[in-house]
Amino acid sequence: MEQSVSSILDTYQRDPTQLMDILIDIQSEAGYISDQAIEQAALGLNISKADVEQTRSFYHFFSKKPRGKYSIYLNTSVVACMMGRDTVARTFEHETGIPFNSVTRDGLIGLFETSCIGMSDQEPAAIINDRIFPNLTPFRAKELIRDIKAGKTMDELIVEGFGDGQNSNKDIRAIINNNIRKIGPVLSPDYKPGKVIREILPKMTPGQVIDEVKNSNLRGRGGAGFPTGMKWELCRQTESSEKYIFCNADEGEPGTFKDRVILTERPKLLLEGMVIAAYATGASHGILYMRHEYKYLKKYLENLIQGAHKRKFLGKDIAGIKGFDFDIRIQLGAGSYVCGEESALIESAEGKRGEPRDRPPFPVEKGYLNQPTVVNNVETFCAAVKVLLNGGNWYRSFGTKDSTGTKVLSISGDCRNPGIYEVEWGFSVNDMCEMAGADDLQAVQVGGPSGSLIGPGDFDRILCYADLSTGGSLILFNHTRDLLQDVVLNFTSFFIDESCGSCSTCRIMPVLLRNKLNKILNARGMNSDIVDMVNWAKVLKASRCGLGQTAANPIVSSILNFKHLYDQRIRGGTHYDMGFDLNRAIQEAGTATGRFPLME
Amino acid sequence: MGKVSTFTIDGVKCMAGEGSYIVDAARQNNIYIPTLCDVQGVPPKGACRTCTVRVNGKLMTSCTSRVHDGMEIENNVPELNDLRKSIIEMLFVEGNHLCPTCEKSGNCELQALAYRYAITVPRYPFLFPRRNIDFTHPRIIKDHNRCILCKRCIRVIKDKDGKNIFAFLNRGFKTRIYVDPDLAENLTEELAQKAVDICPVGAIIKRGQGFETPIGRRKYDKHPIGSELEE
């Protein structure tokens, strides 16, 4: 390993800002990151062990202990659980003889849990050595463990055949399906890659490109909805010889998977969008930051980037425009939801912990390596291509006045047709449910855990920035679901697992809220517990980033819209606090002394 | 001297150098904004959120936000004071803070703020986490029970080459301070003292030394925190 750490360091020119890549390579080569490797990396990069450890320990997929020759990461997301994840998990445990978060004694198999992996339309799913295994059943879990024990290779483990579209591409070869159910103007296959770069950009000045995007009223598709044209303009106005275009492909909001499908089926559209942004802002470097869960797409995308270089869509003097140089590289994450926040994403790409920055300064002024940086969502770049192709006026003909164009939705949960739908903004929740083949719904989670949980009374509301804003995640729940136990508790635990820990508020409050929620779920709650949760949650608004500010949304929005579910769990409106459990409190002492008091 | 910005804090007219951080600007105008993680002259991190103020209805940390002309800052208002109080209470329940036996008692900023906000019992249940005391370093003891993860040691204490000695380990509720074993081994007496002094609580203490100033004669025993500005 000593040898290979050294050569990994050389691959990245011993550059500490490449620490993520270095650790990813060490982890993937050795199966873990040993103390020795950390020491060697620190020495080779001329930083302290503390510097390496702080990054190493932040990310879910980095480990200091071996994670098994076959590391199985089973998704714990809400939808995975709804689709039978627990029986699959029990089967894995039974067949391997180990509980989760451990490795078999022979070091062959490791079982681990992981947050939403972007497969909500084909759950339960697991990642085994960077490959995705969707639609798992107990039978399939048994088969997988049997085959692994029999010494089969990763390729031999696959019996399902490969998925639709490019999932069967020789560079991907994934079992995954795209499940594209509705195509609109952005995802439309009627598109000739490179047309905008070759035919339109040379005729436009960067200012005109920005004006056209502004005219389209395109807003960020990651969820926050910042006007794209304005973002590009701000970056353009910041003077610097180095500027960066980041594509945020870190989609980690539970229930969203649209970017995975775009990366698979429309990657050229995305790359073209990044080139347009580079032209508009004057940037010469692009970084596609992709979540680690999508590592199986890396080779495929790298080949496409290479192809774009050959066809002069990337590289020097693109489209014959003198001095327009731009390249794109892929940066992988390593398992962290908060890295989807743009400044955390930049920190991570610099090899650091994915902690959001204090703003201002905003990335458009001081971003990657303190240079002006534009960070846009995958879908935003794709939409920008169509805006330039057909004009801002055309784009504005779709959607509503304040939310123009279309939105690609990731629909999952209790419906007959989970998958990707491109719809115009202004679509109502009712229509959306009908479209996906869902009836008898109890609730819809709009915008993932950081969004809101709404009931049928709100289903006539519409998807747009002014009403129900969403990055695209929509999870449907029928009446068989226990919203508090299965949904709210799961989401709250998700926020606890994914908090970066930097702000006191987001580090501590979700834990306090989860304890309260558990108290209610354990039938020990009282009315004041509900009031407390609503009041306590307010402190989260003082958090730095969106994760912290929305970490109580699952609890607060469910109290707002499903108060009766809480009331049902409260013992007859009692004012007597049942939170203290005498039996449990004296358990330890009782066991030690062998004596327990007689209780009625 | 550069340009001067005029702004108001709770309606009081103030002036400070353009681009100063709100917390510093307030200090220059003898207005106290409580802080825990902030260290004057060191790039801020906005970790504890105690110094949160409101500008145009928006919450922001005054240690990381800069003043500009015409800014109207809300500071000493009931809602913000309760927010701060609740943050202090959260920090108390997050760790194991046993003031009567703590070497820092009387010099502790967390304790001093608790007095300022008249906290008798936190509104939140104690979490009683199991945390370690790290005795492995020759000059300092790191007591994780008392750490409030303010990042002061991370930001201030560097070795002679500028390398980090302290760092965050893990994330979220599992976050704790990592002490680089090699660099701590070679920590100079001066730097060790600096680390102890910079820690707002008793999470970094000097090995083999304690209670040199008797309790009752310590910094905040004599003057409540913030009183230096408010007299």
Side-chain angles (χ1 to χ4, degrees):
Chain A
M1 197 59 213
E2 214 177 306
Q3 194 97 53
S4 63
V5 171
S6 172
S7 80
I8 289 169
L9 291 172
D10 288 339
T11 309
Y12 299 102
Q13 295 86 42
R14 302 190 172 246
D15 176 1
T17 67
Q18 302 265 40
L19 186 57
M20 283 294 281
D21 291 316
I22 291 166
L23 292 176
I24 288 168
D25 284 3
I26 295 174
Q27 175 78 39
S28 115
E29 205 156 303
Y32 71 116
I33 301 170
S34 65
D35 278 328
Q36 201 203 346
I38 288 171
E39 194 159 352
Q40 219 185 325
L43 212 65
L45 300 171
N46 195 27
I47 53 179
S48 66
K49 270 201 275 193
D51 288 319
V52 181
E53 270 289 11
Q54 61 178 338
T55 297
R56 199 280 310 158
S57 64
F58 188 83
Y59 297 92
H60 184 64
F61 291 110
F62 293 152
S63 158
K64 277 187 94 164
K65 286 187 199 145
R67 287 208 170 157
K69 195 171 166 219
Y70 292 81
S71 331
I72 301 177
Y73 286 91
L74 183 62
N75 190 358
T76 59
S77 76
V78 163
V79 181
C81 294
M82 285 162 64
M83 300 299 156
R85 179 221 172 252
D86 285 346
T87 53
V88 172
R90 297 297 83 81
T91 311
F92 274 136
E93 288 183 327
H94 187 258
E95 295 301 308
T96 54
I98 53 165
F100 268 80
N101 285 314
S102 62
V103 177
T104 54
R105 212 172 270 182
D106 57 4
L108 184 67
I109 303 170
L111 291 184
F112 301 94
E113 299 180 328
T114 198
S115 300
C116 187
I117 61 172
M119 301 290 154
S120 293
D121 54 341
Q122 38 211 309
E123 291 291 348
I127 306 174
I128 307 178
N129 293 5
D130 300 334
R131 298 180 81 156
I132 316 282
F133 289 78
N135 297 321
L136 292 175
T137 56
F139 180 84
R140 187 72 184 102
K142 243 185 246 179
E143 206 173 50
L144 281 166
I145 300 300
R146 190 193 63 208
D147 288 352
I148 289 171
K149 283 183 178 166
K152 292 201 175 174
T153 63
M154 281 306 296
D155 280 336
E156 288 167 338
L157 289 186
I158 292 170
V159 297
E160 290 91 342
F162 301 123
D164 58 352
Q166 295 298 321
N167 287 303
S168 303
N169 185 296
K170 65 172 176 39
D171 291 331
I172 302 181
R173 289 155 60 84
I175 316 169
I176 304 156
N177 273 311
N178 291 320
N179 293 328
I180 301 175
R181 312 271 183 191
K182 184 173 168 58
I183 278 176
V186 170
L187 290 186
S188 162
D190 178 22
Y191 152 73
K192 198 168 145 250
K195 190 174 173 193
V196 174
I197 297 176
R198 199 167 272 162
E199 295 172 21
I200 298 177
L201 287 190
K203 291 186 209 145
M204 291 176 90
T205 66
Q208 286 170 326
V209 172
I210 289 171
D211 286 344
E212 199 58 53
V213 175
K214 277 169 107 175
N215 178 33
S216 75
N217 210 2
L218 173 62
R219 295 167 68 172
R221 293 293 186 249
F226 192 82
T228 306
M230 194 197 289
K231 193 183 261 189
W232 291 9
E233 187 169 49
L234 289 168
C235 182
R236 167 140 210 102
Q237 286 164 352
T238 313
E239 300 234 349
S240 172
S241 55
E242 297 283 342
K243 291 182 187 178
Y244 294 88
I245 302 294
F246 267 66
C247 172
N248 185 345
D250 194 52
E251 64 171 347
E253 190 76 44
T256 176
F257 45 88
K258 62 168 182 87
D259 292 343
R260 186 239 311 155
V261 175
I262 296 176
L263 288 163
T264 309
E265 294 303 322
R266 301 285 182 269
K268 291 174 183 170
L269 186 64
L270 160 67
L271 297 177
E272 185 158 16
M274 290 178 74
V275 174
I276 294 169
Y279 181 69
T281 56
S284 45
H285 305 288
I287 295 178
L288 171 58
Y289 186 104
M290 188 164 72
R291 67 188 308 215
H292 194 273
E293 289 81 348
Y294 298 165
K295 193 178 175 187
Y296 71 95
L297 291 169
K298 188 168 181 244
K299 190 175 160 201
Y300 166 70
L301 293 169
E302 275 174 349
N303 282 347
L304 288 176
I305 290 171
Q306 250 181 24
H309 270 280
K310 277 191 199 135
R311 299 175 66 197
K312 306 271 187 229
F313 294 142
L314 288 171
K316 287 207 166 304
D317 299 330
I318 295 169
I321 302 168
K322 263 248 141 308
F324 178 29
D325 306 338
F326 185 63
D327 58 32
I328 297 174
R329 75 172 173 89
I330 295 173
Q331 173 68 59
L332 279 182
S336 162
Y337 165 70
V338 68
C339 287
E341 195 279 342
E342 61 177 6
S343 64
L345 183 121
I346 290 169
E347 286 280 305
S348 177
E350 290 179 357
K352 298 188 237 159
R353 298 165 63 80
E355 292 177 10
R357 294 177 178 175
D358 291 298
R359 293 173 299 177
F362 291 91
V364 285
E365 303 156 90
K366 274 185 174 194
Y368 182 65
L369 304 176
N370 281 327
Q371 303 300 327
T373 303
V374 161
V375 184
N376 278 144
N377 179 260
V378 171
E379 190 186 341
T380 313
F381 284 120
C382 294
V385 179
K386 298 296 170 94
V387 166
L388 280 233
L389 207 54
N390 303 312
N393 291 337
W394 167 84
Y395 192 75
R396 272 194 290 123
S397 69
F398 303 101
T400 69
K401 195 159 180 281
D402 92 304
S403 311
T404 60
T406 62
K407 180 79 195 91
V408 182
L409 305 176
S410 313
I411 301 180
S412 64
D414 293 315
C415 61
R416 286 186 294 281
N417 300 311
I420 297 294
Y421 295 77
E422 184 183 349
V423 301
E424 288 183 44
W425 283 110
F427 215 70
S428 79
V429 177
N430 258 329
D431 288 347
M432 191 268 303
C433 296
E434 276 181 27
M435 180 176 71
D439 28 52
D440 193 29
L441 285 185
Q442 180 184 190
V444 175
Q445 183 76 32
V446 182
S450 66
S452 44
L453 184 67
I454 60 167
D458 282 322
F459 284 1
D460 53 352
R461 290 174 64 183
I462 60 166
L463 303 176
C464 64
Y465 290 107
D467 188 3
L468 287 170
S469 178
T470 174
S473 163
L474 291 155
I475 308 175
L476 318 182
F477 306 105
N478 65 23
H479 281 94
T480 66
R481 308 297 173 187
D482 181 344
L483 292 183
L484 303 192
Q485 182 80 42
D486 301 343
V487 181
V488 179
L489 182 63
N490 180 302
F491 284 162
T492 305
S493 298
F494 168 77
F495 281 121
I496 292 170
D497 288 342
E498 298 296 338
S499 163
C500 80
S502 181
C503 293
S504 63
T505 43
C506 160
R507 183 177 70 235
I508 309 169
M509 183 43 73
V511 175
L512 296 170
L513 290 174
R514 182 172 64 181
N515 289 350
K516 272 273 192 212
L517 181 62
N518 270 325
K519 185 183 166 193
I520 292 172
L521 291 174
N522 294 334
R524 296 192 166 275
M526 47 197 273
N527 277 323
S528 66
D529 288 320
I530 303 172
V531 180
D532 279 347
M533 286 201 286
V534 174
N535 285 331
W536 293 4
K538 288 177 190 155
V539 75
L540 283 162
K541 294 292 168 219
S543 306
R544 185 183 307 147
C545 77
L547 190 162
Q549 286 161 13
T550 58
N553 280 12
I555 286 177
V556 173
S557 82
S558 60
I559 292 177
L560 188 70
N561 296 327
F562 297 90
K563 176 85 175 359
H564 61 282
L565 297 179
Y566 286 88
D567 292 338
Q568 284 163 13
R569 305 263 186 170
I570 304 289
R571 281 203 185 168
T574 178
H575 292 288
Y576 175 65
D577 195 338
M578 308 288 286
F580 179 71
D581 182 347
L582 182 62
N583 281 317
R584 210 163 61 190
I586 61 167
Q587 188 68 34
E588 207 173 327
T591 313
T593 57
R595 286 184 301 146
F596 286 92
L598 291 169
M599 305 243 191
E600 307 229 344
Chain B
M1 208 181 130
K3 275 191 178 167
V4 170
S5 295
T6 53
F7 53 95
T8 63
I9 298 180
D10 297 328
V12 177
K13 228 174 156 183
C14 299
M15 282 196 291
E18 193 182 23
S20 347
Y21 290 116
I22 294 174
V23 71
D24 297 328
R27 193 182 297 118
Q28 286 165 29
N29 290 276
N30 286 329
I31 292 172
Y32 175 69
I33 300 178
T35 59
L36 272 173
C37 67
D38 192 44
V39 186
Q40 270 186 70
V42 175
K45 190 59 209 170
C48 73
R49 321 305 286 175
T50 310
C51 69
T52 298
V53 292
R54 196 165 44 200
V55 178
N56 275 335
K58 221 179 136 212
L59 297 177
M60 53 179 74
T61 43
S62 56
C63 67
T64 63
S65 314
R66 296 173 192 274
V67 288
H68 54 73
D69 254 331
M71 206 177 202
E72 291 173 14
I73 301 162
E74 289 177 83
N75 170 42
N76 192 7
V77 295
E79 200 188 324
L80 290 174
N81 283 332
D82 187 59
L83 176 82
R84 290 164 184 166
K85 186 177 180 184
S86 73
I87 290 172
I88 309 288
E89 290 174 20
M90 273 197 318
L91 291 170
F92 268 100
V93 303
E94 182 195 23
N96 300 306
H97 296 275
L98 306 171
C99 297
T101 59
C102 181
E103 144 65 77
K104 200 74 172 233
S105 184
N107 287 325
C108 171
E109 293 177 37
L110 182 69
Q111 183 193 39
L113 283 175
Y115 280 123
R116 184 183 173 93
Y117 286 103
I119 296 170
T120 47
V121 177
R123 71 193 77 176
Y124 312 115
F126 283 98
L127 293 169
F128 298 122
R130 270 173 208 258
R131 301 242 187 109
N132 292 333
I133 303 176
D134 180 3
F135 286 98
T136 59
H137 315 292
R139 291 195 196 275
I140 53 166
I141 295 165
K142 176 75 198 161
D143 188 344
H144 294 288
N145 290 290
R146 300 169 184 167
C147 184
I148 57 167
L149 301 167
C150 66
K151 286 194 162 179
R152 277 194 192 178
C153 56
I154 298 178
R155 290 179 288 143
V156 174
I157 311 294
K158 314 265 176 186
D159 85 336
K160 57 184 187 329
D161 305 320
K163 290 180 190 171
N164 280 320
I165 300 170
F166 298 94
F168 261 11
L169 193 73
N170 306 326
R171 70 183 185 203
F173 194 67
K174 292 182 185 140
T175 307
R176 63 180 177 82
I177 295 287
Y178 172 88
V179 186
D180 191 296
D182 303 339
L183 298 182
E185 187 80 30
N186 300 316
L187 202 63
T188 62
E189 181 62 28
E190 192 197 346
L191 216 48
Q193 187 62 49
K194 199 172 164 190
V196 171
D197 294 341
I198 205 77
C199 182
V201 290
I204 301 174
I205 44 178
K206 205 73 174 293
R207 239 187 138 108
Q209 186 185 316
F211 296 97
E212 292 209 329
T213 311
I215 285 180
R217 283 190 229 153
R218 296 178 165 199
K219 191 174 175 189
Y220 301 118
D221 294 335
K222 292 184 259 175
H223 306 285
I225 196 164
S227 62
E228 71 279 9
L229 289 176
E230 294 176 329
E231 254 141 42

